[in-house]
Amino acid sequence: MKEYDDVKVIVEKERYAKVGIHKGMIGTILDPRRIEGDWLVVFDGEFKQDEDGTWYTTDIECEIAESDLIVVKEYKEP
Amino acid sequence: MGVFENLIYVNDKGEVASHIWIKWIHEGTKEANTNAEKQENVLLGETTRHCAKCLNLNGCYFPLDNMPEQPLHPNCHCYKTIIDKPIAGRTAQAVCYIQKIRDYAFVKEAKKKFFNSNGYDIMDSEYIRKTIEDVALKKYVGGDFKLGMLDKHGQRITIRVELPGRTAQGKPLSFCTGWMIYPGGKIVLTTPATELSKK
Ligand SMILES: [Zn+2]
């Protein structure tokens, strides 16, 4: 498991559910470090625009234990 | 850059940001300048009574009016020292790796659609990367960012960046980018499109 790999959450846990992450969701590792067994995973959301016209996303960023993830698409540098 | 440009920064809303900057100090431990060192800090936190979050904040620069709460937790013995306002390219730097644009933003469906529909495609990856770096660095040293999540991985900030408009309306394309703060005035892009703020 490494940065830019697409990973799937394989368990339902309260600490993930609290931020909207549930079993079966797929995200991308966006930090090279596994810290205390956790990867920083970002789950894609939608684009929205604020009142100033700035775009933002509803992406969810969450630290997830490696043991709770499987790689669904391994990243290979082109 | 003019002499005064570095002293006073006014954001898009006309607000003047603080020009007093501080360095977060966690005495007795070294600053984590690399990912490996940040990881070492987490391990150190596990084996000692040090807080891994504080260890990762050690040496990071913030404007006085836009910094994590101090003390961060009960018995936090961190403190801050006033520093010279960071200067872009000299005492502050922003890093956006090409992979975040070329292999992430232009691969994920929603993000790809967002950039494509605003006149940018994968061939523009390097241009986008460089522009994001330049704009974000200027805003970071201007204190024009929102504090986001602080966890084991570090302190995140959200910076609004603009790319030149490429649609018929010609308005600049403004969007939120997510960064991780490192010691010594360095910020590294985590994600090229993020929430307004992640508390
Ligand atoms: Zn502390």
Side-chain angles (χ1 to χ4, degrees), chain A residues 3-4 6 28 30 32-36 38 40 44 52 54-55 57 59 61 63 75 77, chain B residues 13 35 38-39 42 46 99-100 102-103 108 111 151-153 156 160 174-176 194 198:
Chain A
E3 192 174 24
Y4 306 113
D6 282 348
T28 307
L30 284 188
R33 299 163 294 155
R34 186 186 61 190
I35 296 182
E36 285 182 309
D38 287 1
L40 189 64
D44 267 352
D52 298 331
T54 297
W55 292 93
T57 69
D59 289 8
E61 202 173 308
E63 289 179 322
Y75 170 71
E77 177 108 32
Chain B
K13 290 179 179 161
N35 283 327
K38 273 201 174 200
Q39 200 137 358
V42 174
E46 276 176 49
Q99 288 90 341
K100 295 279 163 130
R102 185 194 61 200
D103 306 338
K108 294 289 154 189
K111 292 176 179 65
D151 56 23
K152 287 178 297 195
H153 280 79
R156 248 80 94 231
R160 207 155 49 97
S174 171
F175 57 102
C176 293
T194 191
K198 284 174 180 162

Side-chain angles (χ1 to χ4, degrees), chain B residues 144-155:
Chain B
D144 190 7
F145 61 83
K146 283 203 163 68
L147 282 176
M149 208 187 288
L150 170 61
D151 56 23
K152 287 178 297 195
H153 280 79
Q155 174 68 59

